[in-house]
Amino acid sequence: MSFRKPKNRKEICYPFIYESALTCDYEVHTDELCSLLGMVLAQMPEGFDDVVADLETLHPKIYHLNGSVRGKNGIFEEDLEWLHERYDHYNKLSAGRVTRFVLPRGPVAVMALHQCRTGSKKTVRLLHRLDESGVKFEETLPRFANLLANFFFVLTVYIKMKLDVEEIDYISINY
């Protein structure tokens, strides 16, 4: 079979879907990350108005991250400053709760946040690959994506702490 771009626009899910460049893969991936964050918002338990407000602020920033490789930059130093502040806030509230590597477990919202965390790592990897291929973008993008992965993790710790859900240590036999 010869895989060709359809002539009917209704049969094309994304204008750049048939590109061979990694840019499209990055955009499809960050679209998935934005959808996963929407799933987190849909599953958040009662009593987490602070987290919901922060995630609602963060949600459109994922699409800004998405469009910042092909289009103009949408992630700025002030976005990084805000995310650093929110990370520090939740990290301070849950200080000392996690001191080792833990298994990703918990209620649905926590598990969706773990999916966002791993998706953020994939975003960093795709940005690295794009950079290696010669695509130019602002340095705020990988910094934001790295911090995003860490922010999602600290939210899982905070939420599980407030819900009194035990963290399960992972003891590696590899290291």
Side-chain angles (χ1 to χ4, degrees), residues 79-158:
D79 297 314
L80 279 157
E81 291 168 11
W82 175 83
L83 194 53
H84 272 284
E85 192 276 322
R86 300 318 297 155
Y87 172 91
D88 291 343
H89 170 75
Y90 294 109
N91 195 45
K92 183 178 179 183
L93 291 174
S94 59
R97 179 154 166 92
V98 173
T99 58
R100 300 174 71 167
F101 198 85
V102 294
L103 292 170
R105 293 186 184 178
V108 174
V110 168
M111 293 314 302
L113 278 167
H114 277 298
Q115 289 293 300
C116 290
R117 175 184 58 81
T118 60
S120 298
K121 289 180 179 181
K122 291 177 188 175
T123 302
V124 174
R125 287 295 301 158
L126 283 166
L127 286 167
H128 175 69
R129 299 283 311 280
L130 283 162
D131 182 60
E132 284 184 330
S133 74
V135 174
K136 302 293 181 210
F137 49 82
E138 294 294 324
E139 70 160 16
T140 53
L141 303 186
R143 291 173 56 212
F144 187 81
N146 272 290
L147 180 57
L148 199 55
N150 294 330
F151 176 71
F152 288 139
F153 178 74
V154 81
L155 279 184
T156 69
V157 174
Y158 172 72

Side-chain angles (χ1 to χ4, degrees), residues 63-76:
Y63 271 154
H64 298 331
L65 184 66
N66 173 293
S68 291
V69 170
R70 185 183 305 273
K72 65 181 183 176
N73 183 48
I75 299 295
F76 306 100

